[in-house]
Amino acid sequence: MHYFSKSFSVHYFKKMWLVLICSLSTYSLKAQSTSPQIFKEANGLWGIKNARGKVIKRPQYQNVLIPPSPFKKSWFIVKKNGLWGIINIKGRYVIEPSLQKIDVFNTKGHLLPVLSNQLWGIINSKGKFIFKPQFQKLSPIEVGFKVQKDQLWGLINTKGKYIARPKFVYLGDFAEGLFGVEENGLMG
Protein backbone atom coordinates (compact mmCIF):
# COMPACT_ATOMS: atom_id res chain seq x y z
CA MET A 1 0.00 0.00 0.00
CA HIS A 2 1.39 3.40 -1.01
CA TYR A 3 0.48 6.48 0.96
CA PHE A 4 2.15 8.95 -1.40
CA SER A 5 2.04 9.29 -5.11
CA LYS A 6 5.29 8.81 -7.02
CA SER A 7 5.44 12.48 -8.06
CA PHE A 8 5.00 13.60 -4.43
CA SER A 9 7.83 11.31 -3.26
CA VAL A 10 10.24 12.57 -5.92
CA HIS A 11 9.35 16.19 -5.15
CA TYR A 12 9.72 15.57 -1.42
CA PHE A 13 13.17 13.96 -1.80
CA LYS A 14 14.40 16.71 -4.14
CA LYS A 15 13.34 19.27 -1.54
CA MET A 16 15.13 17.32 1.24
CA TRP A 17 18.34 17.14 -0.83
CA LEU A 18 18.16 20.88 -1.43
CA VAL A 19 17.76 21.52 2.32
CA LEU A 20 20.68 19.18 3.08
CA ILE A 21 22.95 20.79 0.48
CA CYS A 22 22.07 24.29 1.71
CA SER A 23 22.75 23.23 5.30
CA LEU A 24 26.14 21.80 4.40
CA SER A 25 27.03 24.90 2.39
CA THR A 26 26.10 27.15 5.31
CA TYR A 27 28.12 24.99 7.70
CA SER A 28 31.09 25.07 5.33
CA LEU A 29 30.93 28.87 5.03
CA LYS A 30 30.70 29.27 8.79
CA ALA A 31 33.66 26.92 9.34
CA GLN A 32 35.78 28.82 6.83
CA SER A 33 34.94 32.24 8.22
CA THR A 34 35.86 31.60 11.85
CA SER A 35 39.62 31.98 11.49
CA PRO A 36 41.90 34.65 10.03
CA GLN A 37 43.45 34.01 6.64
CA ILE A 38 46.74 34.84 5.01
CA PHE A 39 46.88 36.14 1.46
CA LYS A 40 49.58 36.97 -1.07
CA GLU A 41 49.67 40.03 -3.32
CA ALA A 42 51.06 40.16 -6.85
CA ASN A 43 54.21 41.83 -5.46
CA GLY A 44 54.96 38.60 -3.56
CA LEU A 45 54.30 40.00 -0.09
CA TRP A 46 51.89 38.40 2.39
CA GLY A 47 49.13 39.97 4.45
CA ILE A 48 46.51 38.83 6.94
CA LYS A 49 42.71 39.14 6.89
CA ASN A 50 40.40 38.59 9.84
CA ALA A 51 37.57 36.06 9.79
CA ARG A 52 35.27 38.57 8.05
CA GLY A 53 37.78 39.27 5.27
CA LYS A 54 38.90 42.67 6.59
CA VAL A 55 42.63 43.27 6.16
CA ILE A 56 44.30 43.43 9.60
CA LYS A 57 47.87 43.51 8.24
CA ARG A 58 48.45 44.84 4.76
CA PRO A 59 50.83 42.80 2.58
CA GLN A 60 54.30 43.57 3.93
CA TYR A 61 55.74 40.22 4.94
CA GLN A 62 58.15 37.99 3.04
CA ASN A 63 56.52 35.00 4.69
CA VAL A 64 53.66 34.25 7.08
CA LEU A 65 53.43 30.96 8.96
CA ILE A 66 50.63 29.52 11.03
CA PRO A 67 52.32 27.91 14.03
CA PRO A 68 51.37 24.55 15.54
CA SER A 69 49.09 24.12 18.56
CA PRO A 70 48.76 25.67 21.10
CA PHE A 71 49.99 28.79 19.31
CA LYS A 72 47.95 28.58 16.10
CA LYS A 73 44.70 29.90 17.54
CA SER A 74 46.16 33.27 18.46
CA TRP A 75 49.33 33.95 16.43
CA PHE A 76 50.95 34.34 13.07
CA ILE A 77 54.70 34.07 12.63
CA VAL A 78 55.86 36.72 10.16
CA LYS A 79 59.09 37.47 8.33
CA LYS A 80 59.89 41.09 7.50
CA ASN A 81 63.23 42.43 6.25
CA GLY A 82 64.80 39.01 6.82
CA LEU A 83 63.79 38.81 10.50
CA TRP A 84 61.00 36.88 12.19
CA GLY A 85 58.36 38.12 14.61
CA ILE A 86 54.96 37.19 15.97
CA ILE A 87 51.65 39.04 15.61
CA ASN A 88 48.36 38.21 17.25
CA ILE A 89 45.06 37.75 15.42
CA LYS A 90 44.21 41.41 16.02
CA GLY A 91 47.28 42.47 14.03
CA ARG A 92 49.38 43.64 17.00
CA TYR A 93 52.97 42.58 17.44
CA VAL A 94 53.62 40.09 20.23
CA ILE A 95 57.31 40.17 19.21
CA GLU A 96 58.53 42.67 16.61
CA PRO A 97 60.40 41.11 13.67
CA SER A 98 63.82 40.89 15.35
CA LEU A 99 64.56 37.16 15.50
CA GLN A 100 66.78 35.13 13.19
CA LYS A 101 64.62 32.05 13.59
CA ILE A 102 61.45 30.81 15.26
CA ASP A 103 61.64 27.03 15.39
CA VAL A 104 58.03 25.94 14.88
CA PHE A 105 59.11 22.35 14.30
CA ASN A 106 60.55 21.84 17.77
CA THR A 107 57.87 23.11 20.12
CA LYS A 108 57.48 21.42 23.48
CA GLY A 109 54.15 21.91 25.21
CA HIS A 110 53.60 25.66 25.39
CA LEU A 111 57.26 26.48 24.64
CA LEU A 112 58.77 27.68 21.39
CA PRO A 113 62.53 28.01 20.66
CA VAL A 114 63.72 31.27 19.10
CA LEU A 115 67.14 32.38 17.80
CA SER A 116 68.45 35.93 18.22
CA ASN A 117 72.06 37.10 17.69
CA GLN A 118 73.18 33.47 17.33
CA LEU A 119 71.76 32.54 20.77
CA TRP A 120 68.68 30.44 21.52
CA GLY A 121 65.91 31.42 23.89
CA ILE A 122 62.48 30.04 24.73
CA ILE A 123 59.12 31.83 24.66
CA ASN A 124 55.79 30.64 26.03
CA SER A 125 52.38 30.64 24.33
CA LYS A 126 51.80 34.24 25.51
CA GLY A 127 54.92 35.44 23.69
CA LYS A 128 56.88 36.05 26.89
CA PHE A 129 60.48 34.95 27.19
CA ILE A 130 60.86 32.09 29.66
CA PHE A 131 64.59 32.12 28.85
CA LYS A 132 66.02 35.14 27.04
CA PRO A 133 68.40 34.15 24.21
CA GLN A 134 71.48 32.80 26.02
CA PHE A 135 72.09 29.25 24.79
CA GLN A 136 74.64 28.34 22.10
CA LYS A 137 72.69 25.16 21.35
CA LEU A 138 69.17 23.98 22.02
CA SER A 139 67.83 20.54 21.13
CA PRO A 140 64.32 19.18 21.69
CA ILE A 141 64.16 15.98 23.71
CA GLU A 142 61.30 13.89 25.07
CA VAL A 143 61.17 15.73 28.41
CA GLY A 144 61.81 19.27 27.10
CA PHE A 145 65.05 20.78 25.82
CA LYS A 146 68.75 20.04 26.11
CA VAL A 147 70.60 23.39 26.25
CA GLN A 148 74.24 24.46 26.07
CA LYS A 149 75.52 27.61 27.74
CA ASP A 150 79.22 28.51 28.09
CA GLN A 151 80.11 25.06 26.71
CA LEU A 152 78.15 23.30 29.51
CA TRP A 153 74.93 21.32 29.07
CA GLY A 154 71.69 21.41 31.04
CA LEU A 155 68.03 20.40 30.80
CA ILE A 156 64.79 22.37 30.69
CA ASN A 157 61.42 20.64 31.09
CA THR A 158 58.25 21.31 29.07
CA LYS A 159 57.04 23.77 31.74
CA GLY A 160 60.12 25.96 31.18
CA LYS A 161 61.92 25.05 34.40
CA TYR A 162 65.45 23.77 34.77
CA ILE A 163 65.72 20.06 35.44
CA ALA A 164 69.49 20.56 35.58
CA ARG A 165 71.25 23.89 35.12
CA PRO A 166 74.06 23.91 32.52
CA LYS A 167 76.96 22.26 34.39
CA PHE A 168 77.77 19.12 32.41
CA VAL A 169 80.65 18.91 29.94
CA TYR A 170 78.73 16.11 28.24
CA LEU A 171 75.03 15.29 28.26
CA GLY A 172 74.10 12.19 26.28
CA ASP A 173 70.84 11.16 24.73
CA PHE A 174 67.75 10.45 26.80
CA ALA A 175 67.09 6.70 27.06
CA GLU A 176 64.85 4.80 29.48
CA GLY A 177 64.49 7.88 31.68
CA LEU A 178 68.26 8.41 32.04
CA PHE A 179 71.00 10.61 30.57
CA GLY A 180 74.70 9.94 30.39
CA VAL A 181 76.61 12.91 31.83
CA GLU A 182 80.16 14.10 32.43
CA GLU A 183 81.08 16.51 35.19
CA ASN A 184 84.55 17.23 36.64
CA GLY A 185 86.07 14.42 34.57
CA LEU A 186 83.61 11.83 35.91
CA MET A 187 80.99 10.09 33.80
CA GLY A 188 77.76 8.63 34.99
Side-chain angles (χ1 to χ4, degrees), residues 36-40 46-49 64-66 76:
Q37 300 172 0
I38 57 176
F39 65 98
K40 190 174 187 179
W46 292 87
I48 302 170
K49 293 179 182 180
V64 177
L65 302 175
I66 299 171
F76 290 96

Side-chain angles (χ1 to χ4, degrees), residues 14 25 27 41 46 49-50 52-53 56 58 64 70 73 78 84 86 97 101 103 112 122 151-152 154 156 163 170 181:
K14 282 183 182 179
S25 298
Y27 173 77
E41 288 284 305
W46 292 87
K49 293 179 182 180
N50 69 13
R52 294 187 181 118
I56 57 174
R58 64 178 176 70
V64 177
K73 293 183 180 180
V78 296
W84 293 91
I86 298 170
K101 186 175 185 179
D103 193 350
L112 187 64
I122 300 172
Q151 306 306 315
L152 298 175
I156 296 171
I163 296 171
Y170 169 81
V181 297

Side-chain angles (χ1 to χ4, degrees), residues 8-27:
F8 177 79
S9 297
V10 171
H11 176 71
Y12 176 76
F13 284 114
K14 282 183 182 179
K15 191 173 183 179
M16 288 306 294
W17 273 112
L18 183 61
V19 169
L20 178 62
I21 290 169
C22 289
S23 297
L24 290 175
S25 298
T26 303
Y27 173 77

Side-chain angles (χ1 to χ4, degrees), residues 49 61-62 69-71 81 89 107 111 138 154 156 165 167:
K49 293 179 182 180
Y61 302 108
Q62 296 162 302
S69 291
F71 311 97
N81 300 323
I89 57 173
T107 62
L111 305 178
L138 182 142
I156 296 171
R165 292 190 179 277
K167 64 178 185 175

Side-chain angles (χ1 to χ4, degrees), residues 5-159:
S5 69
K6 184 177 179 183
S7 64
F8 177 79
S9 297
V10 171
H11 176 71
Y12 176 76
F13 284 114
K14 282 183 182 179
K15 191 173 183 179
M16 288 306 294
W17 273 112
L18 183 61
V19 169
L20 178 62
I21 290 169
C22 289
S23 297
L24 290 175
S25 298
T26 303
Y27 173 77
S28 177
L29 289 172
K30 286 180 181 176
Q32 290 175 358
S33 66
T34 59
S35 58
Q37 300 172 0
I38 57 176
F39 65 98
K40 190 174 187 179
E41 288 284 305
N43 62 7
L45 295 178
W46 292 87
I48 302 170
K49 293 179 182 180
N50 69 13
R52 294 187 181 118
K54 180 183 173 196
V55 174
I56 57 174
K57 279 295 187 182
R58 64 178 176 70
Q60 59 187 298
Y61 302 108
Q62 296 162 302
N63 204 341
V64 177
L65 302 175
I66 299 171
S69 291
F71 311 97
K72 73 178 176 184
K73 293 183 180 180
S74 57
W75 287 0
F76 290 96
I77 296 174
V78 296
K79 185 177 186 182
K80 186 175 182 179
N81 300 323
L83 296 173
W84 293 91
I86 298 170
I87 60 172
N88 64 22
I89 57 173
K90 294 180 181 175
R92 294 189 188 101
Y93 282 108
V94 175
I95 297 175
E96 294 275 342
S98 60
L99 303 168
Q100 292 169 286
K101 186 175 185 179
I102 298 175
D103 193 350
V104 296
F105 299 107
N106 289 311
T107 62
K108 287 292 177 182
H110 292 268
L111 305 178
L112 187 64
V114 297
L115 182 67
S116 178
N117 297 319
Q118 303 302 323
L119 295 174
W120 288 96
I122 300 172
I123 59 173
N124 65 14
S125 59
K126 295 178 182 166
K128 303 292 182 206
F129 276 96
I130 300 298
F131 289 95
K132 294 228 182 254
Q134 58 185 294
F135 305 113
Q136 287 89 22
K137 294 182 181 175
L138 182 142
S139 303
I141 56 174
E142 186 177 330
V143 295
F145 297 101
K146 191 165 108 171
V147 294
Q148 185 186 48
K149 182 178 180 179
D150 301 326
Q151 306 306 315
L152 298 175
W153 289 93
L155 296 169
I156 296 171
N157 67 17
T158 57
K159 296 183 191 294

